[in-house]
Amino acid sequence: MNLQELETPALVVDRSRMEANVFRMRKRMNELGVMLRPHVKTAKCLEAALACTGGKPAPITVSTLAEAEFFAARGFTDILYAVGLAPAKVAHVLDLHRRGIDLTVITDNVEMARLGGERARAAGIKLPLLVEIDSDGHRAGVRADDPLLIEVGRAAVQSGCELRGVMTHAGASYDCRSVGAIRAMAEQERARTVGAAERLRAAGLPAPVVSVGSTPTATYAERLDGVTEVRAGVFVFFDLVMAGISVCRTDDIALSVLASVTGHQREKGWVLVDAGWMAMSRDRGTAKQPVDQGYGLACTLDGKPLDGVIVSDIHQEHGILSHRSGDPKRMPDLPIGTLLRILPNHACATAAQFGEYHVVRGGSEIEARWRRLD
Amino acid sequence: MNLQELETPALVVDRSRMEANVFRMRKRMNELGVMLRPHVKTAKCLEAALACTGGKPAPITVSTLAEAEFFAARGFTDILYAVGLAPAKVAHVLDLHRRGIDLTVITDNVEMARLGGERARAAGIKLPLLVEIDSDGHRAGVRADDPLLIEVGRAAVQSGCELRGVMTHAGASYDCRSVGAIRAMAEQERARTVGAAERLRAAGLPAPVVSVGSTPTATYAERLDGVTEVRAGVFVFFDLVMAGISVCRTDDIALSVLASVTGHQREKGWVLVDAGWMAMSRDRGTAKQPVDQGYGLACTLDGKPLDGVIVSDIHQEHGILSHRSGDPKRMPDLPIGTLLRILPNHACATAAQFGEYHVVRGGSEIEARWRRLD
C-alpha cells in the first residue's frame, strides 16, 4: 500500500530517518559511557521503543502510568515514571509493583515522599524513588543546594522508600539559541545533579542513580562524569523545534502528517488542507525561534520541503498554508487533492493526535503500521 | 464513586450545566423558527449528542468521517460533514451512502464538485452537496458575490450531485469583542449566505438548504429569515473563550479537567499540577482576549473558581499554576494532593485529549461515564 491510498490526515514515520536518529544517539551514549534510558512518551509505540533499546525490552522512561501499563504488558520491567508522583496515583503504582514491574517514581517534596513510602510499606512494598532536582529553574524539582534536598531524601528513607538517587530534566535547553549555550546547559545539568547526589551521599543517604536528560543536552553534552543514565525522547523523531536550535537538520525529521489540499483563497495566497489542530496539535514551539514555522512546514509527498510554505493558521480540521513572506505569488501551485507531508513543530504533541503510524522507508510505500498508545 | 477516587488527570462534565446550556440553545432556535443541527465535534459523545437532539437521533453535523461512522453506528442517519471534501475521502463517503447514511458533503471549488459528483455517479449514488460560502474571510468558502459560486453549483449539478444549497461558518465571530459586534456578525453571516442561496436559485440551480452557524452567532442572532438550519457545537460545554466574549458566563462551563497538586516552587508562587498539554491541549484562545486565562482557570473540587489562579505555563504532563498578577503572595495554599478542576480555554481541544467523560451533577459524585470517540 502507498501513502496515496490513505484517507487524510494520517501520521507518517520515515523509518530510515528514525533509525539513523536512534543510531546516532545510542552511539553518543556509548562513547560517553552512559546508559540511555529512552523516554517513550514521544512515540508511545512498541516498535519505536524497541528501536531505541536494541530490539529487546530494556530500561525505559514514561510520563504516565498508562504508558507504564502499555510497556509492562509488552515485556518492559524496568520503568522510570519521570513525572512527580501524585497521591491519586500511588495505588496504581503499587499495583504495577505487585505485578513485578520495577517502577521508579520521583518527587521533590517531603509530603509525597512520606505518603508514598508509607502506603507502599503498608502494602509490603519498598517503593523505589528518585528525588527530582531543579537544575535550570524551568519547572519542578528541588535545587541541589537547598536544604530541602536532604529532608526529602531522609523522609523517603524513613518512610520506607528505596531511595535510588536523583534525576533532573533540563527542559530550559529547548530555549537555548546556540550550540554553545546547549553545551553549557548540559554541563550545568550534569554538575548540579551530580552535586545533588554527592550531597545526599555526604548526608549518609543512598544515591546510586544519577539520571539526567533532554534531547538537546544529550546531543551536545561533552562529558557526563558521575551520571549513570540519560533520558531523551524526541530524538527518535525530531521536529522543527529541534531543527530550530541545531539539534538536528530538517532532513532528520522522521515524523510528518499526510494532508490533502481541499481549497484555495488565491487572492490571499492561501491553500486549505485537511490537517488542522486535531492533526498537528496547537503547539507553536517555533514561535519564539529565529525562524517561525507556524504550525508546521509543508513538504511534497516524498518528503522534500516546499521552500517557505508553512501552516500559517489552523482550525480544528483545517490548516491554512501560505508562504512565510505572506506573498501570494510565492506560493506554488497545489491543485485540489495534492498530497503533502507536513513536518511538526513538536513531535510529541503531533504524534499524540493519532492512534497509529504509517511507516515508510524513504519513499511513499507503506511497509508497516505501528500502533500508538492512545 | 466520587471524583476524589479518580486517577488524575481526568475529564469531568457537569451534566446540570450541560443540560442548561442545551436547553437555552434549543429554546433560542425554536423561537427563531430554525432547526438546530448540532455540531458533535465538541463532545464526540453519544450521550451529549442525544442531549442536543432531544433524546433521539436527529440531524447532526460532524467534522470527520470517523465521527460520521461513530454516529451512524448509533442510529444517526442525517449527517452533514461540514469540512471541505478531499478526493482521498470520496470512497469512504460513498461507502457511508451505500450503508444508508444521508451524508451531505461540502466544497467551495469546481474541481471537487466535479470529481465528487462523477465518482458518485459511477457508483450509482447522487451525492448531496452544499456549496461552502465565505461569509467573513476567515477560512474556506466562495464569496456570495463571486461568479465562482454559480460555477461550483453548476459543476455540482452537471456532474450528478444533488445540490442542496449553501452553508457557512462565521468563525470570525470568535474574534468579536462585544455583543454588538457578534450581533452584526450574525446578520452578516445570515445575509451573505441567504444571498448566496438566492443567487444560485436565480441561476436556475436548487438551494433548499441554507445552513449557518457558530456558537456566538447562534447565541446572539436577532433574526434568521431565509436560514433553514443552524449548526453550533461548543455551546454544549462552553469554555473560557466563549466566556471571554460574553457568549456564556464562567459558571456555565460544563467541562473541566480534574488535576492533582504534585509540587510547589514557593518563591516563584508556582503550584505544579499533573494536567499538562496532554490534558488541557496547547490551545491559547484567550491570549488575545482582554482577560488572558493562560492554559485554563483553576477551580476547587466542587467547581468554584480560585480567583485569579491560572495555568500560566504548561508541559506535556505538568501544568504550572500561578496567580494572574504574578504575585506569589496572592496564591492560595494548595497542599500536595489537592484536587482541582481546571476550566479549559477551548472545550473542543481539551475534550479531544481524553477518551471518556466522568459525569457529575453539580457536586463531585460521579453518576456516569460517557465514552468519547478517540
Side-chain angles (χ1 to χ4, degrees), chain B residues 58-117:
Chain B
I60 55 170
T61 312
V62 300
S63 67
T64 67
L65 295 180
E67 289 164 51
E69 289 286 356
F70 181 87
F71 287 96
R74 287 157 182 80
F76 291 77
T77 55
D78 178 349
I79 301 178
L80 170 57
Y81 169 41
V83 172
L85 185 60
K89 291 168 189 144
V90 174
H92 192 170
V93 165
L94 298 180
D95 191 47
L96 280 153
H97 273 273
R98 274 186 212 102
R99 287 180 273 140
I101 305 305
D102 181 14
L103 185 80
T104 304
V105 299
I106 70 168
T107 193
D108 63 2
N109 58 81
V110 168
E111 299 89 321
M112 193 64 242
R114 194 167 284 151
L115 190 150

Side-chain angles (χ1 to χ4, degrees), chain A residues 6 40 67 159 217 224 256 280:
Chain A
L6 292 181
V40 298
E67 290 164 50
S159 67
T217 55
L224 288 170
S256 60
M280 301 306 302

Side-chain angles (χ1 to χ4, degrees), chain A residues 13-74:
Chain A
V13 165
D14 185 326
R15 188 174 187 163
S16 317
R17 292 182 181 192
M18 183 191 85
E19 288 173 353
N21 296 340
V22 169
F23 177 81
R24 283 196 305 279
M25 183 61 82
R26 284 169 61 89
K27 185 160 173 281
R28 255 196 84 69
M29 292 302 109
N30 267 334
E31 287 165 0
L32 288 163
V34 172
M35 179 178 84
L36 176 65
R37 182 189 280 277
H39 206 318
V40 298
K41 77 181 174 97
T42 302
K44 298 196 187 196
C45 166
L46 175 64
E47 293 81 355
L50 287 173
C52 296
T53 58
K56 284 184 306 208
I60 55 170
T61 312
V62 300
S63 67
T64 67
L65 295 180
E67 290 164 50
E69 290 286 358
F70 182 87
F71 286 96
R74 286 157 182 80

Side-chain angles (χ1 to χ4, degrees), chain A residues 4 6-9 41-42 44 63-67 82-89 92 107-109 111-112 132 134 137-143 146 260-268 270 272 274 277-278 281-284 313 315-318 320 336-337 339 346 348-349 352-353 372 374, chain B residues 4 6-9 41-42 44 63-67 82-89 92 107-109 111-112 132 134 137-143 146 260-268 270 272 274 277-278 281-284 313 315-318 320 336-337 339 346 348-349 352-353 372 374:
Chain A
Q4 289 170 286
L6 292 181
E7 231 177 280
T8 48
K41 77 181 174 97
T42 302
K44 298 196 187 196
S63 67
T64 67
L65 295 180
E67 290 164 50
V83 172
L85 185 61
K89 290 168 191 147
H92 192 170
T107 192
D108 63 2
N109 59 81
E111 298 91 321
M112 193 63 241
E132 183 171 13
D134 177 8
H138 93 291
R139 195 163 74 190
V142 51
R143 287 198 313 276
D146 190 325
S260 292
V261 172
T262 59
H264 301 87
Q265 298 286 11
R266 293 187 197 277
E267 290 164 36
K268 295 172 179 166
W270 290 359
L272 280 285
D274 59 1
W277 52 253
M278 279 296 288
S281 90
R282 269 280 193 187
D283 196 285
R284 286 284 288 114
D313 200 2
H315 303 268
Q316 187 155 354
E317 296 292 342
H318 300 76
I320 298 179
I336 298 293
L339 293 173
H346 189 168
C348 307
Q353 303 297 89
R372 202 191 127 88
D374 266 334
Chain B
Q4 290 171 286
L6 292 180
E7 231 178 280
T8 49
K41 79 182 174 96
T42 302
K44 299 198 186 193
S63 67
T64 67
L65 295 180
E67 289 164 51
V83 172
L85 185 60
K89 291 168 189 144
H92 192 170
T107 193
D108 63 2
N109 58 81
E111 299 89 321
M112 193 64 242
E132 182 171 14
D134 177 9
H138 93 291
R139 194 164 74 192
V142 52
R143 285 197 314 276
D146 190 324
S260 293
V261 172
T262 59
H264 302 86
Q265 299 286 11
R266 293 189 196 277
E267 289 164 36
K268 295 172 177 166
W270 289 0
L272 280 285
D274 59 0
W277 52 252
M278 279 296 288
S281 91
R282 269 282 192 185
D283 196 283
R284 287 284 288 114
D313 200 2
H315 304 268
Q316 187 155 352
E317 297 291 342
H318 300 76
I320 298 179
I336 299 293
L339 293 173
H346 190 169
C348 308
Q353 304 296 89
R372 200 191 128 87
D374 267 333

Side-chain angles (χ1 to χ4, degrees), chain B residues 15 44 51 110 119 130 174 177 209 213 246 268 331 333-334 372:
Chain B
R15 189 173 185 164
K44 299 198 186 193
V110 168
R119 286 205 201 155
L130 301 178
Y174 279 56
R177 288 290 167 269
V209 173
S246 304
K268 295 172 177 166
M331 277 298 281
D333 183 40
L334 298 168
R372 200 191 128 87

Side-chain angles (χ1 to χ4, degrees), chain A residues 172-219:
Chain A
S173 63
Y174 279 56
D175 300 321
C176 289
R177 287 291 167 267
S178 70
V179 169
I182 299 173
R183 285 208 177 101
M185 182 63 73
E187 176 53 16
Q188 173 178 311
E189 180 185 41
R190 185 203 69 80
R192 293 188 179 173
T193 315
V194 170
E198 285 166 357
R199 289 195 56 232
L200 284 175
R201 291 172 196 143
L205 294 163
V209 173
V210 179
S211 177
V212 304
S214 78
T215 286
T217 55
T219 302

Side-chain angles (χ1 to χ4, degrees), chain B residues 150 164-166 194-210 226 228:
Chain B
I150 309 299
R164 286 198 175 160
V166 292
V194 170
E198 285 165 355
R199 289 194 57 230
L200 284 174
R201 291 170 196 144
L205 295 163
V209 173
V210 179
T228 65

